[in-house]
Amino acid sequence: MGQKLIIIIATTILLFTGLLLGYVLSQLVLGFLALNLLTFLGTFSLIVIFGTLYYVLFWELRRQSNQIKGNRPQPATQPATESTTQPTLKPTTPRGADSRLQNKLIAMLDGDIAAAERLVAQARQNYPGMPESWYWERAIADLERDRR
């Protein structure tokens, strides 16, 4: 409930500040409001408030979506891979780097586990004999390169 309250309050203030900023700027452009120190500082403070709230709101939304994406694939990956391709999602390094890389790749593919496994399988086929984490890193790098 706390995150939703932050989003609602920030959106309301952002909307009000945006309307007020638009009004002030339109009055300045039309010449109905004189440009002096008071109007300059007021407009500047509206821009700072608008920018700060915009950043906070979308930072909060991104954090919330990352939590949802980070929590969703993990339960779904374990049962699906145990029956089909077990080695792809099992960490081979003791520090657990594979699970972080797996989650990153799956998140980049919007939760499409099958596509992530296909990319890693393709990397395994093209570069045999490499460590498991290398294949996940390679798939991430290939996907980032293709998106540019």
Side-chain angles (χ1 to χ4, degrees), residues 67-134:
Q67 286 176 349
I68 290 170
K69 284 182 183 179
N71 291 340
R72 214 176 264 168
Q74 289 176 352
T77 56
Q78 296 303 331
T81 56
E82 287 174 1
S83 62
T84 57
T85 55
Q86 199 171 12
T88 57
L89 294 180
K90 289 235 180 210
T92 56
T93 58
R95 65 175 196 253
D98 286 341
S99 63
R100 180 185 56 81
L101 294 170
Q102 292 164 5
N103 289 338
K104 181 177 179 181
L105 180 60
I106 292 169
M108 288 174 68
L109 294 168
D110 294 327
D112 191 353
I113 299 164
E117 290 177 354
R118 284 192 303 271
L119 288 172
V120 172
Q122 184 180 8
R124 270 195 207 101
Q125 184 179 6
N126 293 341
Y127 307 98
M130 301 301 286
E132 182 68 20
S133 61
W134 187 89

